Amino acid sequence: MTTRTTRVAAALLAGAAALFAPAAPAAAAGGTTARLTVDTETLVLTPTGKGYVGTLTTTISNRGRADATAGLRITEPAGGSFTGLDNGSPWFTVGMEQNRRVLESYGGRVTAGTSVTLRLDFQVWTTARAYPMTALGGSVAVVPDGGTRVSDRDSFRTVFRSTSGSVRNPRVYRQATETDLTISGGDVTLTRQADGALLGRTPVTVRYGNDAPSFRLDVRASLPAGVEVWATDPQDLPSFPDWFDVPGGRFMPGEERTFDVVLRAPAGTPAGALGSGSFTVAAVYESEPVADVDPADNSTTFSVRATD
């Protein structure tokens, strides 16, 4: 075989090898995944008759080249202050950070190269001041496609307007973490009814002394044998034989609320002194009881009598 023939054969073999060899992987196109970021503005709270209210504008951007679903992780600037998203998305608490809730919600679908704007509503149940205030610690994080890893987080400043509307030279807002509750009640006389059972009511007064966050006030009853809680008046939540919730929802600091508690004893209960009872109040925040600055005034005692 001549030198020229050898060179031609080698070239043909190389070409065949190249033709039937596995194709080399193409270079990956950059940025073909979603890349979510989040930006927040300052939360400005305005005083009302029920604390301060305001809306936080939040923008989620998808800077990648694939569509994505955004999950939100929200840390409140004050405990018990987040009230929801203006688009009605459901939300739930996943933890606590310095007595402030950490919540998760749905941020919606964000197509590649676009942004969506959400509005988060807040209400801080504290007394309006004549001076402005500020709070740090609030943040919004974005988590793509229902995962657990945060893609981006943005902290926001919270400003409380004064009662005159000023935001200049704010003081730091410090929210109480322990409640300051008191409860008082009176003696109860149970009266025989047509069916033989006995009913009686007593006015009970509860005072909420500060702005520690809680969502309801639970009252435990210790009563003489056979006597049970029958109802509250007004009644906006169910009551049970040995406990009830204070009607009327959340309290403002310094608010005092009086309502009746109705007690019942069964038919066959004799007339006369039945013994003593007590009511003990406690605040509940995210299903957990809240410590009180002075537990001694969280209980009230009373006597119970039956009459024909």
Side-chain angles (χ1 to χ4, degrees), residues 51-107:
Y52 292 79
V53 298
T55 298
L56 176 71
T57 300
T58 301
T59 301
I60 302 171
S61 301
N62 185 347
R63 305 184 188 280
R65 297 178 62 186
D67 297 348
T69 299
L72 293 180
R73 190 168 299 163
I74 304 156
T75 302
E76 300 178 305
S81 62
F82 179 73
T83 60
L85 285 84
D86 68 347
N87 64 6
S89 292
W91 51 274
F92 54 93
T93 302
V94 295
M96 287 282 184
E97 186 174 301
Q98 297 178 342
N99 214 42
R100 296 172 286 119
R101 293 176 299 167
V102 179
L103 312 116
E104 289 190 350
S105 187
Y106 176 65

Side-chain angles (χ1 to χ4, degrees), residues 86-173:
D86 68 347
N87 64 6
S89 292
W91 51 274
F92 54 93
T93 302
V94 295
M96 287 282 184
E97 186 174 301
Q98 297 178 342
N99 214 42
R100 296 172 286 119
R101 293 176 299 167
V102 179
L103 312 116
E104 289 190 350
S105 187
Y106 176 65
R109 187 77 172 167
V110 190
T111 57
T114 67
S115 299
V116 297
T117 298
L118 303 172
R119 291 173 177 82
L120 284 58
D121 295 326
F122 293 86
Q123 180 175 5
V124 181
W125 292 67
T126 193
T127 306
R129 272 75 152 182
Y131 51 85
M133 298 184 293
T134 187
L136 300 175
S139 68
V140 179
V142 65
V143 182
D145 293 326
T148 58
R149 187 173 180 178
V150 169
S151 173
D152 190 30
R153 181 189 306 274
D154 193 27
S155 298
F156 60 87
R157 181 171 176 241
T158 301
V159 176
F160 300 70
R161 291 188 182 277
S162 71
T163 50
S164 64
S166 173
V167 295
R168 297 185 62 183
N169 301 318
R171 306 180 191 181
V172 176
Y173 171 59

Side-chain angles (χ1 to χ4, degrees), residues 33 47-49 100 111 124 134 150 191 193 214 235 242 245 282 284:
T33 59
T48 71
R100 296 172 286 119
T111 57
V124 181
T134 187
V150 169
T191 304
Q193 307 297 301
S214 69
Q235 178 105 44
D242 61 350
D245 281 339
V284 179

Side-chain angles (χ1 to χ4, degrees), residues 76 79-82 93 96 101 208 213-217 249-251 283-287:
E76 300 178 305
S81 62
F82 179 73
T93 302
M96 287 282 184
R101 293 176 299 167
Y208 204 98
S214 69
F215 296 125
R216 63 184 183 88
L217 299 187
R250 288 184 71 169
F251 278 71
V284 179
Y285 178 41
E286 281 302 312
S287 303

Side-chain angles (χ1 to χ4, degrees), residues 154-241:
D154 193 27
S155 298
F156 60 87
R157 181 171 176 241
T158 301
V159 176
F160 300 70
R161 291 188 182 277
S162 71
T163 50
S164 64
S166 173
V167 295
R168 297 185 62 183
N169 301 318
R171 306 180 191 181
V172 176
Y173 171 59
R174 302 190 187 282
Q175 187 178 35
T177 58
E178 296 184 335
T179 56
D180 185 14
L181 306 176
T182 59
I183 186 171
S184 60
D187 296 338
V188 187
T189 298
L190 306 181
T191 304
R192 193 81 57 187
Q193 307 297 301
D195 63 356
L198 297 106
L199 290 177
R201 62 176 61 214
T202 180
V204 173
T205 299
V206 173
R207 185 176 187 277
Y208 204 98
N210 61 20
D211 66 354
S214 69
F215 296 125
R216 63 184 183 88
L217 299 187
D218 173 288
V219 180
R220 299 288 164 169
S222 177
L223 300 169
V227 180
E228 62 183 8
V229 174
W230 190 246
T232 64
D233 185 11
Q235 178 105 44
D236 55 11
L237 288 170
S239 53
F240 300 89

